[in-house]
Amino acid sequence: MTAWPARRPRPGPHRTALLGCAVLSVALAGCSLLGEDGSPDASGGTDTVVLVTHDSFALPQQLLREFESQTGDRLRVLASGDAGALTNKLVLTRDDPVGDVAFGVDNTFASRALDAGVFATAAVDLPPGAAAYALPDGTDRLVPVDTGDVCVNIDTGWFADRDLAPPATLDDLVRPAYRDLLVTPGASTSSPGLAFLLSTIAEYGDRWPDYWAELMDNGAALTAGWSDAYYVDFTQGGQDGTRPIVVSYDSSPAFTVGDDGRSTTRALLDTCFRQVEYAGVLAGAANPEAARDLVQFLLSPQVQAALPESMYVFPVRSGVDLPASWARFAPRPTAPYTLDPADISAHRDEWLTTWTEVTTR
Protein backbone atom coordinates (compact mmCIF):
# COMPACT_ATOMS: atom_id res chain seq x y z
CA MET A 1 0.00 0.00 0.00
CA THR A 2 2.38 2.94 -1.02
CA ALA A 3 0.22 5.32 -3.18
CA TRP A 4 -3.03 6.79 -1.93
CA PRO A 5 -4.93 8.90 -4.44
CA ALA A 6 -4.94 12.59 -4.47
CA ARG A 7 -8.35 13.95 -4.53
CA ARG A 8 -7.87 17.51 -3.52
CA PRO A 9 -6.04 20.44 -5.15
CA ARG A 10 -2.74 20.06 -3.36
CA PRO A 11 0.25 17.74 -3.71
CA GLY A 12 -1.47 14.55 -3.91
CA PRO A 13 -2.30 11.86 -1.64
CA HIS A 14 -1.99 8.29 -2.15
CA ARG A 15 1.59 8.62 -1.33
CA THR A 16 2.89 11.20 -3.72
CA ALA A 17 5.23 13.54 -1.89
CA LEU A 18 3.74 14.81 1.32
CA LEU A 19 6.84 14.14 3.34
CA GLY A 20 7.29 14.89 7.02
CA CYS A 21 10.86 16.12 6.51
CA ALA A 22 12.11 18.56 3.94
CA VAL A 23 13.55 15.86 1.69
CA LEU A 24 13.26 12.07 1.82
CA SER A 25 15.22 10.58 -1.04
CA VAL A 26 14.78 7.11 -2.43
CA ALA A 27 18.52 6.72 -2.06
CA LEU A 28 17.97 6.63 1.71
CA ALA A 29 19.20 10.14 2.34
CA GLY A 30 17.98 10.87 5.85
CA CYS A 31 16.68 13.89 7.61
CA SER A 32 16.15 14.80 11.24
CA LEU A 33 13.46 16.84 12.82
CA LEU A 34 15.99 18.51 15.10
CA GLY A 35 18.45 21.22 14.16
CA GLU A 36 20.83 20.66 11.29
CA ASP A 37 23.71 20.59 13.74
CA GLY A 38 22.20 17.45 15.26
CA SER A 39 21.85 19.00 18.70
CA PRO A 40 19.35 17.38 21.09
CA ASP A 41 16.19 19.05 22.26
CA ALA A 42 15.64 20.54 25.68
CA SER A 43 15.03 17.14 27.26
CA GLY A 44 18.72 16.40 26.94
CA GLY A 45 18.47 13.22 24.85
CA THR A 46 21.29 12.44 22.47
CA ASP A 47 20.32 9.07 20.98
CA THR A 48 19.20 8.79 17.38
CA VAL A 49 16.39 6.48 16.32
CA VAL A 50 16.26 5.78 12.58
CA LEU A 51 12.92 5.10 10.91
CA VAL A 52 13.16 3.28 7.58
CA THR A 53 9.98 3.77 5.57
CA HIS A 54 8.50 4.22 2.11
CA ASP A 55 8.77 7.41 0.09
CA SER A 56 5.31 8.56 1.11
CA PHE A 57 5.67 8.66 4.85
CA ALA A 58 3.87 11.88 5.62
CA LEU A 59 2.95 12.35 9.25
CA PRO A 60 2.78 16.01 10.32
CA GLN A 61 6.15 17.34 11.41
CA GLN A 62 4.56 18.62 14.59
CA LEU A 63 3.73 15.06 15.65
CA LEU A 64 7.23 13.82 14.96
CA ARG A 65 8.68 16.72 16.93
CA GLU A 66 6.37 15.67 19.74
CA PHE A 67 7.96 12.23 19.74
CA GLU A 68 11.42 13.81 19.94
CA SER A 69 10.29 16.08 22.74
CA GLN A 70 8.75 13.25 24.75
CA THR A 71 11.68 10.87 24.42
CA GLY A 72 14.69 13.11 23.93
CA ASP A 73 15.67 10.98 20.96
CA ARG A 74 16.70 12.47 17.65
CA LEU A 75 14.48 11.06 14.90
CA ARG A 76 15.97 10.36 11.49
CA VAL A 77 13.77 9.24 8.58
CA LEU A 78 15.08 7.18 5.68
CA ALA A 79 12.86 6.63 2.64
CA SER A 80 13.26 3.62 0.38
CA GLY A 81 10.76 3.41 -2.46
CA ASP A 82 7.40 1.69 -2.20
CA ALA A 83 6.42 -1.28 -0.03
CA GLY A 84 8.19 -3.75 -2.29
CA ALA A 85 11.41 -1.77 -2.55
CA LEU A 86 11.34 -1.14 1.19
CA THR A 87 11.00 -4.84 1.93
CA ASN A 88 13.80 -5.70 -0.48
CA LYS A 89 16.06 -3.14 1.21
CA LEU A 90 15.29 -4.56 4.65
CA VAL A 91 15.97 -8.13 3.57
CA LEU A 92 19.23 -7.26 1.82
CA THR A 93 20.51 -5.32 4.85
CA ARG A 94 19.18 -7.61 7.60
CA ASP A 95 22.70 -8.47 8.82
CA ASP A 96 23.63 -4.80 9.01
CA PRO A 97 20.34 -2.90 9.34
CA VAL A 98 20.21 0.67 8.09
CA GLY A 99 17.85 1.73 10.86
CA ASP A 100 16.05 0.87 14.08
CA VAL A 101 12.40 0.79 13.03
CA ALA A 102 10.69 -0.03 9.74
CA PHE A 103 7.23 1.21 8.82
CA GLY A 104 5.36 0.48 5.60
CA VAL A 105 5.82 -3.24 4.98
CA ASP A 106 2.30 -4.34 4.07
CA ASN A 107 0.46 -7.64 4.11
CA THR A 108 1.56 -8.44 0.55
CA PHE A 109 5.22 -8.44 1.63
CA ALA A 110 5.10 -9.13 5.39
CA SER A 111 5.84 -12.86 5.20
CA ARG A 112 8.95 -12.28 3.14
CA ALA A 113 10.35 -9.90 5.75
CA LEU A 114 9.42 -12.18 8.64
CA ASP A 115 10.86 -15.29 6.97
CA ALA A 116 14.13 -13.42 6.41
CA GLY A 117 14.42 -12.53 10.10
CA VAL A 118 14.24 -8.80 9.47
CA PHE A 119 12.31 -7.94 12.65
CA ALA A 120 13.00 -8.51 16.33
CA THR A 121 10.45 -9.34 18.98
CA ALA A 122 9.18 -6.17 20.63
CA ALA A 123 6.68 -5.91 23.46
CA VAL A 124 4.27 -3.32 22.05
CA ASP A 125 0.75 -2.82 23.39
CA LEU A 126 -1.88 -2.93 20.65
CA PRO A 127 -4.59 -0.27 20.94
CA PRO A 128 -8.28 -1.20 20.88
CA GLY A 129 -9.31 -2.50 17.47
CA ALA A 130 -5.83 -3.15 16.12
CA ALA A 131 -5.90 -6.90 16.77
CA ALA A 132 -8.39 -7.26 13.91
CA TYR A 133 -5.60 -6.29 11.49
CA ALA A 134 -2.84 -8.37 13.06
CA LEU A 135 -0.96 -10.97 11.04
CA PRO A 136 -1.82 -14.63 11.59
CA ASP A 137 1.84 -15.16 12.52
CA GLY A 138 4.45 -12.63 13.56
CA THR A 139 2.37 -10.18 15.57
CA ASP A 140 5.13 -10.11 18.16
CA ARG A 141 7.41 -8.62 15.48
CA LEU A 142 5.11 -6.63 13.17
CA VAL A 143 2.22 -4.54 14.48
CA PRO A 144 -0.56 -3.04 12.35
CA VAL A 145 -0.52 0.74 12.06
CA ASP A 146 -2.93 1.65 9.27
CA THR A 147 -5.24 0.03 6.74
CA GLY A 148 -7.04 0.74 3.50
CA ASP A 149 -8.65 -1.09 0.61
CA VAL A 150 -7.68 -1.07 -3.04
CA CYS A 151 -10.94 -0.90 -4.98
CA VAL A 152 -12.16 -0.23 -8.48
CA ASN A 153 -13.48 3.36 -8.63
CA ILE A 154 -15.88 4.86 -11.15
CA ASP A 155 -16.72 8.31 -12.46
CA THR A 156 -20.40 8.39 -11.52
CA GLY A 157 -21.22 11.39 -13.70
CA TRP A 158 -19.73 9.77 -16.81
CA PHE A 159 -22.10 6.82 -16.50
CA ALA A 160 -25.10 8.98 -15.62
CA ASP A 161 -24.52 11.22 -18.64
CA ARG A 162 -24.62 8.17 -20.92
CA ASP A 163 -27.48 6.46 -19.14
CA LEU A 164 -25.23 3.43 -18.71
CA ALA A 165 -25.44 1.32 -15.58
CA PRO A 166 -21.98 1.28 -13.98
CA PRO A 167 -20.20 -1.98 -13.17
CA ALA A 168 -20.42 -3.37 -9.65
CA THR A 169 -18.28 -6.51 -9.57
CA LEU A 170 -15.12 -7.96 -11.06
CA ASP A 171 -17.29 -10.05 -13.39
CA ASP A 172 -18.79 -6.89 -14.83
CA LEU A 173 -15.41 -5.53 -15.95
CA VAL A 174 -15.10 -8.12 -18.74
CA ARG A 175 -18.54 -7.38 -20.19
CA PRO A 176 -18.68 -5.71 -23.65
CA ALA A 177 -20.56 -2.72 -22.20
CA TYR A 178 -17.34 -1.70 -20.41
CA ARG A 179 -14.89 -2.26 -23.23
CA ASP A 180 -11.96 0.22 -23.20
CA LEU A 181 -13.19 1.86 -19.99
CA LEU A 182 -10.84 0.42 -17.34
CA VAL A 183 -7.34 1.57 -16.47
CA THR A 184 -5.25 -0.09 -13.77
CA PRO A 185 -1.67 0.26 -12.59
CA GLY A 186 0.41 -2.79 -13.41
CA ALA A 187 0.80 -5.55 -10.85
CA SER A 188 4.56 -5.81 -11.38
CA THR A 189 5.24 -2.09 -10.96
CA SER A 190 2.64 -0.83 -8.49
CA SER A 191 1.43 -1.74 -5.00
CA PRO A 192 -2.25 -1.04 -5.79
CA GLY A 193 -1.78 -2.88 -9.08
CA LEU A 194 -0.55 -5.93 -7.20
CA ALA A 195 -3.47 -5.64 -4.77
CA PHE A 196 -5.92 -5.62 -7.70
CA LEU A 197 -4.26 -8.75 -9.07
CA LEU A 198 -4.64 -10.38 -5.64
CA SER A 199 -8.35 -9.49 -5.65
CA THR A 200 -8.77 -11.46 -8.86
CA ILE A 201 -6.78 -14.38 -7.49
CA ALA A 202 -8.93 -14.43 -4.34
CA GLU A 203 -12.09 -14.36 -6.46
CA TYR A 204 -11.21 -16.74 -9.29
CA GLY A 205 -8.60 -19.05 -7.81
CA ASP A 206 -6.69 -20.99 -10.46
CA ARG A 207 -8.87 -19.44 -13.17
CA TRP A 208 -7.50 -15.95 -12.60
CA PRO A 209 -5.23 -15.99 -15.72
CA ASP A 210 -8.33 -16.62 -17.86
CA TYR A 211 -10.03 -13.66 -16.22
CA TRP A 212 -7.07 -11.43 -16.98
CA ALA A 213 -7.01 -12.60 -20.59
CA GLU A 214 -10.67 -11.58 -20.85
CA LEU A 215 -9.95 -8.29 -19.14
CA MET A 216 -7.19 -7.45 -21.60
CA ASP A 217 -9.32 -8.58 -24.55
CA ASN A 218 -11.96 -6.16 -23.28
CA GLY A 219 -9.54 -3.26 -23.67
CA ALA A 220 -8.17 -2.77 -20.16
CA ALA A 221 -5.26 -0.32 -20.10
CA LEU A 222 -2.17 -0.76 -17.93
CA THR A 223 0.07 1.98 -16.53
CA ALA A 224 3.33 1.84 -14.63
CA GLY A 225 1.87 3.34 -11.48
CA TRP A 226 -1.19 4.66 -9.71
CA SER A 227 -0.52 8.32 -10.55
CA ASP A 228 -0.61 7.76 -14.30
CA ALA A 229 -3.75 5.65 -14.04
CA TYR A 230 -5.61 8.13 -11.84
CA TYR A 231 -4.35 11.51 -12.95
CA VAL A 232 -3.78 10.91 -16.65
CA ASP A 233 -6.22 8.23 -17.85
CA PHE A 234 -9.11 8.45 -15.39
CA THR A 235 -11.86 10.85 -16.44
CA GLN A 236 -11.88 12.45 -12.97
CA GLY A 237 -8.11 12.79 -12.81
CA GLY A 238 -8.03 16.32 -14.15
CA GLN A 239 -6.07 15.77 -17.36
CA ASP A 240 -8.78 14.93 -19.92
CA GLY A 241 -8.61 11.22 -19.27
CA THR A 242 -10.91 9.00 -21.29
CA ARG A 243 -11.43 6.03 -18.95
CA PRO A 244 -14.16 6.27 -16.29
CA ILE A 245 -13.09 3.14 -14.39
CA VAL A 246 -9.83 3.09 -12.41
CA VAL A 247 -8.18 0.98 -9.75
CA SER A 248 -7.73 3.24 -6.72
CA TYR A 249 -8.80 3.18 -3.04
CA ASP A 250 -11.90 3.08 -0.88
CA SER A 251 -10.98 6.52 0.48
CA SER A 252 -10.66 8.13 -2.96
CA PRO A 253 -14.27 9.38 -3.25
CA ALA A 254 -13.81 11.50 -0.13
CA PHE A 255 -11.45 13.69 -2.15
CA THR A 256 -13.58 14.20 -5.26
CA VAL A 257 -16.31 16.19 -3.54
CA GLY A 258 -17.54 19.13 -5.61
CA ASP A 259 -18.97 22.48 -4.62
CA ASP A 260 -22.41 20.88 -4.46
CA GLY A 261 -21.25 18.65 -1.61
CA ARG A 262 -21.39 15.48 -3.68
CA SER A 263 -18.58 13.19 -4.69
CA THR A 264 -18.02 12.67 -8.39
CA THR A 265 -16.63 9.17 -7.87
CA ARG A 266 -17.55 6.00 -6.07
CA ALA A 267 -15.62 2.93 -4.96
CA LEU A 268 -17.07 -0.43 -5.94
CA LEU A 269 -17.01 -2.14 -2.57
CA ASP A 270 -17.37 -5.64 -3.99
CA THR A 271 -14.00 -5.35 -5.76
CA CYS A 272 -11.73 -4.39 -2.86
CA PHE A 273 -8.56 -5.96 -1.49
CA ARG A 274 -7.62 -5.20 2.10
CA GLN A 275 -4.16 -3.73 2.69
CA VAL A 276 -2.55 -3.24 6.10
CA GLU A 277 0.75 -1.50 6.83
CA TYR A 278 2.93 -2.62 9.71
CA ALA A 279 5.77 -1.33 11.84
CA GLY A 280 8.43 -3.24 13.73
CA VAL A 281 11.77 -3.02 15.49
CA LEU A 282 14.59 -4.17 13.23
CA ALA A 283 16.71 -7.08 14.39
CA GLY A 284 20.12 -5.72 15.31
CA ALA A 285 18.79 -2.19 15.84
CA ALA A 286 21.37 0.13 17.37
CA ASN A 287 18.72 1.75 19.56
CA PRO A 288 16.08 -0.92 20.28
CA GLU A 289 14.48 0.84 23.27
CA ALA A 290 13.85 4.03 21.36
CA ALA A 291 12.71 1.90 18.43
CA ARG A 292 10.04 0.27 20.57
CA ASP A 293 8.95 3.70 21.82
CA LEU A 294 8.58 4.88 18.23
CA VAL A 295 6.46 1.89 17.23
CA GLN A 296 4.25 2.51 20.25
CA PHE A 297 4.02 6.18 19.29
CA LEU A 298 2.70 5.24 15.84
CA LEU A 299 -0.20 3.54 17.63
CA SER A 300 -0.95 6.52 19.87
CA PRO A 301 -4.31 8.34 19.61
CA GLN A 302 -2.74 11.48 18.16
CA VAL A 303 -0.87 9.67 15.39
CA GLN A 304 -3.81 7.42 14.56
CA ALA A 305 -6.08 10.47 14.31
CA ALA A 306 -3.66 12.14 11.90
CA LEU A 307 -3.46 9.24 9.45
CA PRO A 308 -6.55 9.99 7.30
CA GLU A 309 -5.61 13.57 6.48
CA SER A 310 -1.84 13.12 6.27
CA MET A 311 -1.44 9.68 4.70
CA TYR A 312 -4.93 8.98 3.33
CA VAL A 313 -5.36 5.71 5.18
CA PHE A 314 -7.63 4.45 7.92
CA PRO A 315 -6.37 4.07 11.50
CA VAL A 316 -6.32 0.63 13.07
CA ARG A 317 -7.21 2.08 16.45
CA SER A 318 -10.94 1.99 17.13
CA GLY A 319 -12.79 5.09 18.30
CA VAL A 320 -10.79 7.53 16.14
CA ASP A 321 -12.98 10.21 14.58
CA LEU A 322 -12.69 10.29 10.80
CA PRO A 323 -12.98 13.49 8.76
CA ALA A 324 -16.59 14.28 7.94
CA SER A 325 -16.04 13.67 4.23
CA TRP A 326 -14.66 10.20 4.97
CA ALA A 327 -17.62 9.24 7.09
CA ARG A 328 -19.95 10.23 4.25
CA PHE A 329 -18.07 9.35 1.10
CA ALA A 330 -15.57 6.66 2.07
CA PRO A 331 -17.57 3.70 3.33
CA ARG A 332 -15.48 0.60 3.87
CA PRO A 333 -16.19 -2.78 2.29
CA THR A 334 -17.76 -5.24 4.68
CA ALA A 335 -16.13 -8.29 3.08
CA PRO A 336 -12.96 -7.25 1.23
CA TYR A 337 -10.82 -9.82 -0.53
CA THR A 338 -7.93 -11.15 1.51
CA LEU A 339 -5.21 -13.75 1.04
CA ASP A 340 -2.98 -15.38 3.63
CA PRO A 341 0.30 -13.40 3.66
CA ALA A 342 2.18 -16.70 3.62
CA ASP A 343 0.42 -17.71 0.38
CA ILE A 344 1.27 -14.34 -1.14
CA SER A 345 4.91 -14.75 -0.16
CA ALA A 346 5.07 -18.28 -1.54
CA HIS A 347 3.44 -17.49 -4.90
CA ARG A 348 4.06 -13.79 -5.56
CA ASP A 349 6.85 -14.26 -8.09
CA GLU A 350 5.00 -17.07 -9.86
CA TRP A 351 1.81 -15.01 -10.04
CA LEU A 352 3.63 -11.96 -11.37
CA THR A 353 5.40 -14.02 -14.03
CA THR A 354 2.08 -15.45 -15.21
CA TRP A 355 0.39 -12.03 -15.04
CA THR A 356 3.14 -10.53 -17.22
CA GLU A 357 2.79 -13.31 -19.75
CA VAL A 358 -0.97 -12.90 -19.94
CA THR A 359 -0.98 -9.11 -20.18
CA THR A 360 1.77 -8.87 -22.80
CA ARG A 361 0.75 -11.65 -25.13
Side-chain angles (χ1 to χ4, degrees):
M1 207 165 55
T2 54
W4 295 102
R7 315 141 203 144
R8 59 180 64 188
R10 67 180 189 184
H14 282 338
R15 325 294 229 219
T16 44
L18 300 175
L19 303 178
C21 298
V23 176
L24 295 178
S25 89
V26 296
L28 294 183
C31 60
S32 170
L33 300 180
L34 295 176
E36 292 186 1
D37 62 355
S39 57
D41 65 9
S43 64
T46 57
D47 287 338
T48 296
V49 58
V50 180
L51 172 64
V52 188
T53 185
H54 47 55
D55 290 345
S56 305
F57 180 75
L59 284 178
Q61 198 169 98
Q62 178 182 354
L63 274 180
L64 301 184
R65 288 186 183 278
E66 182 178 326
F67 169 79
E68 291 187 321
S69 178
Q70 289 177 0
T71 64
D73 293 308
R74 179 173 180 256
L75 178 61
R76 186 176 176 221
V77 181
L78 300 176
S80 186
D82 66 7
L86 170 64
T87 305
N88 290 339
K89 173 70 71 174
L90 297 175
V91 170
L92 290 172
T93 61
R94 62 185 179 275
D95 295 328
D96 186 19
V98 295
D100 302 293
V101 176
F103 164 71
V105 173
D106 67 20
N107 52 310
T108 66
F109 290 98
S111 289
R112 184 181 180 205
L114 291 171
D115 291 345
V118 166
F119 293 98
T121 299
V124 175
D125 298 324
L126 290 180
Y133 303 100
L135 291 163
D137 298 301
T139 304
D140 59 334
R141 290 169 287 163
L142 277 177
V143 299
V145 173
D146 65 64
T147 183
D149 298 281
V150 172
C151 309
V152 175
N153 278 227
I154 60 168
D155 177 346
T156 53
W158 190 96
F159 285 97
D161 290 345
R162 289 157 180 78
D163 198 26
L164 175 64
T169 66
L170 295 177
D171 281 349
D172 290 341
L173 299 179
V174 299
R175 302 186 190 282
Y178 308 112
R179 180 179 298 277
D180 298 331
L181 301 186
L182 169 69
V183 58
T184 176
S188 61
T189 55
S190 162
S191 177
L194 174 59
F196 180 55
L197 168 61
L198 296 178
S199 290
T200 66
I201 293 172
E203 171 65 20
Y204 299 107
D206 292 342
R207 296 187 300 108
W208 73 263
D210 296 331
Y211 174 81
W212 271 90
E214 291 184 61
L215 201 64
M216 298 307 295
D217 288 344
N218 205 38
L222 301 177
T223 64
W226 174 87
S227 294
D228 283 342
Y230 199 93
Y231 286 121
V232 178
D233 291 317
F234 185 43
T235 50
Q236 281 293 319
Q239 297 190 31
D240 299 321
T242 60
R243 293 178 178 259
I245 308 173
V246 64
V247 171
S248 194
Y249 293 86
D250 54 356
S251 56
S252 299
F255 294 93
T256 56
V257 179
D259 294 337
D260 60 357
R262 299 178 181 180
S263 180
T264 59
T265 65
R266 176 164 57 87
L268 305 183
L269 299 184
D270 289 333
T271 68
C272 304
F273 185 84
R274 174 67 42 91
Q275 284 187 310
V276 181
E277 285 188 321
Y278 302 93
V281 177
L282 293 172
N287 196 349
E289 290 303 316
R292 180 198 172 279
D293 290 343
L294 179 56
V295 173
Q296 194 71 64
F297 184 71
L298 294 174
L299 299 171
S300 66
Q302 60 268 41
V303 170
Q304 291 284 296
L307 289 171
E309 291 281 21
S310 62
M311 295 178 66
Y312 308 90
V313 290
F314 290 87
V316 297
R317 188 182 190 108
S318 60
V320 175
D321 291 333
L322 296 174
S325 59
W326 283 51
R328 182 176 178 187
F329 297 111
R332 306 212 64 192
T334 57
Y337 292 112
T338 60
L339 289 172
D340 188 319
D343 287 340
I344 297 173
S345 180
H347 298 289
R348 184 190 305 107
D349 291 345
E350 167 198 337
W351 289 337
L352 287 175
T353 296
T354 301
W355 178 85
T356 300
E357 292 171 351
V358 170
T359 58
T360 58
R361 61 184 175 84

